[in-house]
Amino acid sequence: MTAGAPTPEAQLQETQLQETQLQETQWPRWEIFKQDTAARPLQAVGSVHAGDPEHALLTARNVFVRRPAAVSLWAVREDDLLTATPEALATHPELLATPGEAGRYQVGIKATAKRSMTFVDLVGAVEASGPGDALGQARALHPDALAWQVFAEAAAVKSDASPETVESWFAPARDKTYKQQQFYGVIGRHVSAFKQSGKPAQAEETP
Amino acid sequence: MTATLSETLNAADLSPAQRRGLIARFQALADDEIVLAQRDGEWTGHAPILEEDIALANIAQDELGHASLYLELRRELDGSDPDRLAFFRDAGEYRCARLVELPRGDWALTMLRQFLYDAAEALWLDAAQASRYAPLAGVAAKALREEKFHLQHSALWAERLGRGTPESARRAQTALDTLWPHAAQLFALLPDEADLVAAGLLPDPDAVRDRWEALVGGHLRDRCDLDVPPLPGAGEGREVHTAHLAPLLTEMQAVARAHPGAGTW
């Protein structure tokens, strides 16, 4: 090794530094909550990466509301969410002391482990001294939940509720439906037709 | 014609000249949508971030949906088959504007073009809602909803690029300088269209262009910090194309032309 060449430790540090810088070029992640009808709760449907709140909402509309329809969308920056399972709280009770702004907090719960498009439903709001307090209240209100998620109401960016925006953002999806596979034509004949006639499937393949 | 300017008309009420004029306008609108959708679709799998890849594919599909609406309006007038029109006409028969033919360029060019186009389409559709030709008024109301959202998306990107980094601002200005000379063609009257405008069947393109100039000029100057030169003239008609259209159509039409008798897709 020549004098001045980086040591393995220095190289490792350099690599870690580069990885950190690489991560910082990523846009922040936003959790997206979608309300399908006025009678249903807002539900977490997934996340998007976006540069700012308005971009997050527009992106969410494209990714999650092409179909079926919705009436409202919220986006919450990953850093503004506090999420915990009962197991996590058992090993990390300090989560209940997570500091932050006092105010109105939205409470979401994961109520079932059944596989679904959505994982967290927003079930109400509480007044709390901070995220940790809100999490504690969420646990007290919904002791059987599989997970709790809280965020300050002020941290949510919400789609415009004006009729014009609702019409432009959400109405077009009402006319779009999922097409089942059998909607599309088949080139040649389906294999079941050959099974019925008792002939091998490859014998009479029509172009 | 005995109809007054306040009565709505359907296909059976049109004179032969009105029928020809509407067919020409519907085809021009559809061709703009088809070619722009193809250009936007070229980004599928290549957009700067997954979410925008999905967004642009969505928008391209919406524009193709609008093309279908316009081609159905045409079918109602002359029975022509939309798929034949889309896949079996050569560049010389297409009537798209040169703006949508230009190669997709970088993300700034694609977003700035989309912004200029979305604003033009949204304002044209807004005016077309008042058309006396009832089928067009109905289509305009339906397509306008989507176009308003497209416009929000592309306006947001123009702003983020114009006010982003020095590099993004440079690219946005370069894109605008490339696109701007082609923009006015979107608002040029087609031959024989003036009578249809006078009869209240189609929007007045001069009025649409004035609203468009105010909307895009204001946004690009005040929200994007871009230099917006005066709008040049529309140039030659829609029968004149750039060299970029023919290769685009060759790619877009390849499968349909290789299997012209395919009954199902």
Side-chain angles (χ1 to χ4, degrees), chain A residues 81-155:
Chain A
L81 292 167
L82 180 60
T83 309
T85 59
E87 295 76 16
L89 281 184
T91 49
H92 296 284
E94 70 275 14
L95 286 171
L96 294 169
T98 305
E101 297 277 317
R104 188 178 157 85
Y105 278 74
Q106 282 287 333
V107 172
I109 59 166
K110 178 179 164 122
T112 169
K114 204 172 92 179
R115 192 174 155 76
S116 164
M117 287 287 284
T118 64
F119 302 99
V120 169
D121 293 359
L122 297 190
V123 289
V126 296
E127 293 294 329
S129 61
D133 178 31
L135 182 62
Q137 292 188 48
R139 182 174 65 168
L141 287 165
H142 305 280
D144 298 329
L146 302 172
W148 304 277
Q149 184 168 62
V150 297
F151 58 87
E153 175 99 31

Side-chain angles (χ1 to χ4, degrees), chain A residues 49 52 62 66 169 176, chain B residues 51-52 58 146 152 160:
Chain A
H49 293 88
D52 54 75
N62 274 317
R66 183 166 175 80
W169 281 43
K176 298 185 175 106
Chain B
E51 287 86 341
E52 288 298 334
N58 272 347
E146 272 174 348
Q152 267 190 290
R160 301 296 183 282

Side-chain angles (χ1 to χ4, degrees), chain A:
Chain A
M1 194 182 283
T2 57
T7 64
E9 291 76 14
Q11 282 178 326
L12 183 63
Q13 279 181 358
E14 176 65 18
T15 305
Q16 285 168 342
L17 184 66
Q18 284 171 355
E19 282 172 359
T20 306
Q21 286 168 342
L22 209 62
Q23 282 164 3
E24 283 168 1
T25 67
Q26 292 286 329
W27 287 333
R29 192 174 73 77
W30 305 71
E31 192 72 17
I32 303 304
F33 298 88
K34 178 163 87 88
Q35 187 178 23
D36 289 344
T37 69
R40 293 187 52 81
L42 281 138
Q43 297 178 301
V45 289
S47 59
V48 299
H49 293 88
D52 54 75
E54 193 191 352
H55 186 213
L57 269 188
L58 278 159
T59 303
R61 189 276 187 187
N62 274 317
V63 174
F64 295 110
V65 198
R66 183 166 175 80
R67 64 177 76 86
V71 295
S72 179
L73 270 186
W74 291 9
V76 182
R77 225 176 126 118
E78 184 178 20
D79 292 351
D80 293 324
L81 292 167
L82 180 60
T83 309
T85 59
E87 295 76 16
L89 281 184
T91 49
H92 296 284
E94 70 275 14
L95 286 171
L96 294 169
T98 305
E101 297 277 317
R104 188 178 157 85
Y105 278 74
Q106 282 287 333
V107 172
I109 59 166
K110 178 179 164 122
T112 169
K114 204 172 92 179
R115 192 174 155 76
S116 164
M117 287 287 284
T118 64
F119 302 99
V120 169
D121 293 359
L122 297 190
V123 289
V126 296
E127 293 294 329
S129 61
D133 178 31
L135 182 62
Q137 292 188 48
R139 182 174 65 168
L141 287 165
H142 305 280
D144 298 329
L146 302 172
W148 304 277
Q149 184 168 62
V150 297
F151 58 87
E153 175 99 31
V157 286
K158 305 173 182 181
S159 58
D160 184 358
S162 72
E164 193 184 358
T165 297
V166 169
E167 183 74 2
S168 167
W169 281 43
F170 303 126
R174 284 204 299 269
D175 301 333
K176 298 185 175 106
T177 51
Y178 290 106
K179 289 190 177 76
Q180 299 294 332
Q181 199 166 0
Q182 58 262 35
F183 171 85
Y184 297 99
V186 177
I187 294 176
R189 271 178 285 170
H190 192 264
V191 65
S192 60
F194 296 101
K195 283 180 181 160
Q196 283 158 13
S197 69
K199 292 176 185 169
Q202 60 270 40
E204 290 183 34
E205 196 61 72
T206 50

Side-chain angles (χ1 to χ4, degrees), chain B residues 16-246:
Chain B
Q18 287 174 333
R19 195 171 279 260
R20 278 196 306 276
L22 284 178
I23 288 171
R25 174 50 67 185
F26 295 151
Q27 193 62 58
L29 289 164
D31 287 353
D32 284 350
E33 304 273 22
I34 291 168
V35 173
L36 183 61
Q38 181 70 13
R39 283 288 182 233
D40 286 345
E42 290 173 4
W43 280 99
T44 304
H46 302 281
I49 187 165
L50 175 65
E51 287 86 341
E52 288 298 334
D53 201 297
I54 295 169
L56 198 53
N58 272 347
I59 287 164
Q61 266 196 297
D62 287 346
E63 304 294 22
L64 270 189
H66 298 171
S68 291
L69 295 174
Y70 296 134
L71 291 176
E72 285 301 325
L73 286 174
R74 174 172 175 172
R75 189 212 289 266
E76 202 172 329
L77 294 173
D78 68 357
S80 55
D81 174 8
D83 281 344
R84 296 296 305 180
L85 291 169
F87 294 116
F88 294 89
R89 279 179 307 144
D90 294 326
E93 299 163 280
Y94 257 74
R95 290 294 176 268
C96 52
R98 289 177 288 275
L99 177 77
V100 295
E101 301 169 11
L102 301 178
R104 70 177 186 269
D106 58 11
W107 188 247
L109 189 127
T110 291
M111 284 296 111
L112 265 294
R113 168 163 58 191
Q114 197 67 37
F115 173 64
L116 299 179
Y117 182 84
D118 289 340
E121 194 190 0
L123 293 171
W124 193 90
L125 288 169
D126 188 40
Q129 292 183 107
S131 168
R132 290 176 60 225
Y133 186 55
L136 171 59
V139 158
K142 184 176 157 78
L144 179 60
R145 302 182 311 196
E146 272 174 348
E147 210 48 45
K148 280 184 180 172
F149 180 78
H150 291 184
L151 181 58
Q152 267 190 290
H153 180 260
S154 54
L156 176 142
W157 266 105
E159 187 180 340
R160 301 296 183 282
L161 291 165
R163 289 185 168 174
T165 64
E167 175 68 4
S168 74
R170 184 189 66 76
R171 285 174 181 256
Q173 187 65 55
T174 302
L176 184 62
D177 294 344
T178 304
L179 297 163
W180 196 246
H182 299 284
Q185 197 198 0
L186 293 172
F187 310 100
L189 270 176
L190 297 176
D192 309 324
E193 196 177 23
D195 288 349
L196 281 82
V197 172
L201 294 169
L202 288 174
D204 174 4
D206 288 343
V208 175
R209 189 197 56 223
D210 289 347
R211 287 182 71 193
W212 177 88
E213 268 199 87
L215 190 156
V216 303
H219 185 74
L220 293 171
R221 270 186 289 266
D222 304 337
R223 303 287 301 267
C224 310
D225 300 335
L226 296 173
D227 293 326
V228 185
L231 195 65
E236 294 170 294
R238 282 174 175 260
E239 68 286 353
V240 178
H241 296 290
T242 66
H244 306 295
L245 179 62

